[in-house]
Short mmCIF file of all heavy atoms in Angstrom, two decimals:
data_model
loop_
_atom_site.label_atom_id
_atom_site.label_comp_id
_atom_site.label_asym_id
_atom_site.label_seq_id
_atom_site.Cartn_x
_atom_site.Cartn_y
_atom_site.Cartn_z
N VAL V 313 65.77 28.35 106.29
CA VAL V 313 65.87 27.36 105.13
C VAL V 313 66.45 26.12 105.73
O VAL V 313 67.59 26.19 106.26
CB VAL V 313 66.68 27.81 103.92
CG1 VAL V 313 66.84 26.67 102.86
CG2 VAL V 313 66.05 29.08 103.35
N ARG V 314 65.61 24.98 105.84
CA ARG V 314 66.15 23.77 106.40
C ARG V 314 67.13 22.97 105.47
O ARG V 314 68.08 22.33 105.94
CB ARG V 314 65.03 22.96 106.82
CG ARG V 314 64.25 23.54 107.91
CD ARG V 314 62.83 22.79 108.17
NE ARG V 314 62.13 23.40 109.29
CZ ARG V 314 61.00 23.18 109.59
NH1 ARG V 314 60.24 22.25 108.86
NH2 ARG V 314 60.44 23.73 110.68
N SER V 315 66.75 22.87 104.28
CA SER V 315 67.81 22.30 103.27
C SER V 315 67.52 22.91 101.95
O SER V 315 66.45 23.56 101.63
CB SER V 315 67.48 20.72 103.30
OG SER V 315 66.27 20.45 102.57
N GLY V 316 68.26 22.61 101.02
CA GLY V 316 68.32 23.18 99.70
C GLY V 316 69.04 24.55 99.81
O GLY V 316 69.79 24.88 100.77
N GLU V 317 69.00 25.33 98.71
CA GLU V 317 69.84 26.48 98.56
C GLU V 317 69.01 27.65 97.95
O GLU V 317 68.24 27.49 97.00
CB GLU V 317 71.03 26.19 97.77
CG GLU V 317 72.37 26.78 98.44
CD GLU V 317 73.53 26.45 97.65
OE1 GLU V 317 73.57 26.16 96.47
OE2 GLU V 317 74.62 26.49 98.37
N VAL V 318 69.30 28.89 98.45
CA VAL V 318 68.87 30.14 97.86
C VAL V 318 70.12 30.83 97.42
O VAL V 318 71.09 30.99 98.31
CB VAL V 318 68.05 30.91 98.88
CG1 VAL V 318 67.56 32.26 98.17
CG2 VAL V 318 66.85 30.35 99.42
N ARG V 319 70.21 31.21 96.20
CA ARG V 319 71.35 31.84 95.65
C ARG V 319 71.02 33.14 95.01
O ARG V 319 70.13 33.24 94.33
CB ARG V 319 72.17 30.88 94.69
CG ARG V 319 72.75 29.73 95.35
CD ARG V 319 73.75 29.11 94.43
NE ARG V 319 73.02 28.50 93.25
CZ ARG V 319 72.76 27.13 93.14
NH1 ARG V 319 73.18 26.35 94.06
NH2 ARG V 319 72.28 26.72 92.13
N LEU V 320 71.81 34.20 95.14
CA LEU V 320 71.77 35.39 94.54
C LEU V 320 72.98 35.63 93.65
O LEU V 320 74.05 35.58 94.30
CB LEU V 320 71.54 36.60 95.46
CG LEU V 320 71.35 37.99 94.76
CD1 LEU V 320 70.00 38.16 94.18
CD2 LEU V 320 71.64 39.08 95.78
N ASP V 321 72.99 35.70 92.31
CA ASP V 321 74.24 35.90 91.65
C ASP V 321 75.06 34.66 91.85
O ASP V 321 76.34 34.89 91.87
CB ASP V 321 74.79 37.11 91.99
CG ASP V 321 74.85 38.08 90.72
OD1 ASP V 321 74.48 37.61 89.62
OD2 ASP V 321 75.35 39.27 90.85
N GLY V 322 74.56 33.58 92.07
CA GLY V 322 75.38 32.44 92.43
C GLY V 322 75.99 32.31 93.83
O GLY V 322 76.44 31.26 94.21
N GLN V 323 75.64 33.25 94.63
CA GLN V 323 76.07 33.24 96.00
C GLN V 323 75.02 32.75 96.90
O GLN V 323 73.93 33.24 96.87
CB GLN V 323 76.69 34.57 96.33
CG GLN V 323 78.04 34.79 95.71
CD GLN V 323 78.70 36.13 96.25
OE1 GLN V 323 78.05 37.05 96.46
NE2 GLN V 323 80.00 35.88 96.42
N ARG V 324 75.40 31.89 97.82
CA ARG V 324 74.40 31.29 98.74
C ARG V 324 73.89 32.41 99.80
O ARG V 324 74.76 33.19 100.31
CB ARG V 324 75.26 30.26 99.45
CG ARG V 324 74.43 29.32 100.29
CD ARG V 324 75.39 28.22 100.88
NE ARG V 324 74.90 27.90 102.16
CZ ARG V 324 74.10 26.64 102.26
NH1 ARG V 324 73.79 26.01 101.26
NH2 ARG V 324 73.69 26.36 103.48
#
Side-chain angles (χ1 to χ4, degrees):
Chain V
V313 174
R314 291 173 178 166
S315 69
E317 227 178 19
V318 179
R319 291 194 291 259
L320 182 75
D321 244 352
Q323 288 191 317
R324 193 179 149 93

